[in-house]
Amino acid sequence: MRWSMTSTSGAVTTMSEPLLRVSRLDAYYGPAHILQAVEFEMGEESIAIVGRNGMGKTTLCAAIMGFTPPRTAGSVRFKGTEIRGKPSYRISSLGLGYVPQGRRLFPSLTVDEHLKMLKTDGGPWNADRVYELFPRLAERRKNGGGQLSGGEQQMLAIGRALLTNPTLLIMDEPSEGLAPAIIENLIEVFKRLEEDGLRILLIEQNLGVATALAKRQLIMVGGEIATELTADALAGDPDLQRRYLGVEPVAR
């Protein structure tokens, strides 16, 4: 089995399997059947999964990353390796990073302490590089997580995930609660990370963010992937937006 992709150094290799393949993935919280035979693949392109609240998007993140609950069945293959059933720290060590919804920072730890509590093992990402990516964090490095604005907290959550040196970064609702100017800045950051070879699985309700970042849009309804569209097709069809997302059309 072979797998590879463009690295942050620019080296290019070939791959024989998708970066991530989810096959007939079910997830349960007790008797509640949340994910129902979810299937999708992603290779060298970033993708967005969009949907209303309660459709199972965060449960999908938990199922991929090996968090408990939920109880799962089916298959999740990352770089050709089956990861469903593995503990989350093993999954992370394979190159899968995660930015959770709500950031989940330690209020009493400073920015610097958050970034230096992780061992980077000589990978391309370290605290200094995170500060280069987010200069605002460098200015606030002595402030506690609870003293940061929402945008600064999101920068720190992303920077913390990057220190695991991921190949694929899963981000759950990164724009939630942020001002439009901060969101625009984050979109530019995400595009820069993509140019460096990082692939992103974006979980979003904000259709403007989702369509700006990813050409492939998977729409989640009732714990299933209901359909796949291009960003242009979804952004350009008000009826689809209302039907699947319950939102007013986005301006592009």
Side-chain angles (χ1 to χ4, degrees):
M1 176 187 65
R2 295 187 306 161
W3 191 94
S4 55
M5 66 181 294
T6 305
S7 70
T8 55
S9 65
V12 179
T13 50
T14 58
M15 59 183 184
S16 57
E17 289 202 29
L19 175 61
L20 180 69
R21 174 181 284 156
V22 176
S23 303
R24 299 197 61 79
L25 181 63
D26 292 285
Y28 305 81
Y29 287 96
H33 192 177
I34 307 301
L35 299 183
Q36 303 189 31
V38 171
E39 294 200 3
F40 67 92
E41 294 181 357
M42 67 178 295
E44 295 188 73
E45 79 288 2
S46 294
I47 66 175
I49 298 179
V50 297
R52 306 183 193 189
N53 278 335
M55 293 297 104
K57 303 187 303 296
T58 295
T59 299
L60 176 61
C61 294
I64 293 172
M65 290 301 303
F67 298 143
T68 55
R71 175 171 56 89
T72 61
S75 175
V76 180
R77 297 182 68 83
F78 179 60
K79 299 182 183 178
T81 298
E82 181 63 51
I83 61 173
R84 192 190 70 80
K86 294 183 181 293
S88 56
Y89 71 91
R90 294 282 189 195
I91 294 172
S92 177
S93 70
L94 294 173
L96 222 169
Y98 181 50
V99 180
Q101 184 179 19
R103 294 110 194 187
R104 299 186 188 177
L105 303 176
F106 296 98
S108 62
L109 294 185
T110 67
V111 169
D112 212 47
E113 288 169 338
H114 273 93
L115 297 181
K116 293 186 175 177
M117 68 189 295
L118 296 174
K119 184 178 180 182
T120 57
D121 294 323
W125 284 98
N126 54 38
D128 289 339
R129 190 175 175 196
V130 171
Y131 287 138
E132 290 175 7
L133 182 67
F134 296 118
R136 181 59 178 164
L137 290 183
E139 299 171 6
R140 303 276 277 165
R141 68 175 67 203
K142 299 303 180 184
N143 290 88
Q147 298 174 311
L148 305 178
S149 68
E152 292 164 348
Q153 288 181 358
Q154 191 61 270
M155 294 174 195
L156 181 53
I158 294 168
R160 180 181 58 185
L162 291 174
L163 290 181
T164 66
N165 290 298
T167 305
L168 170 62
L169 185 64
I170 298 176
M171 294 192 293
D172 190 2
E173 304 284 2
S175 71
E176 184 177 55
L178 301 184
I182 301 298
I183 292 173
E184 289 299 319
N185 179 62
L186 287 178
I187 290 173
E188 292 306 311
V189 168
F190 299 157
K191 290 179 178 178
R192 288 170 56 189
L193 293 173
E194 274 200 301
E195 290 173 359
D196 281 344
L198 182 66
R199 294 298 168 254
I200 296 172
L201 175 58
L202 177 68
I203 312 298
E204 260 295 350
Q205 284 193 82
N206 186 320
L207 191 56
V209 175
T211 55
L213 182 62
K215 292 182 179 179
R216 290 181 62 198
Q217 303 284 311
L218 307 184
I219 299 180
M220 200 164 199
V221 178
E224 301 176 297
I225 302 298
T227 190
E228 176 175 341
L229 299 166
T230 65
D232 288 341
L234 182 57
D237 194 324
D239 290 336
L240 285 176
Q241 294 173 30
R242 294 190 185 97
R243 184 191 317 162
Y244 289 119
L245 306 175
V247 298
E248 289 304 309
V250 296
R252 297 194 80 198

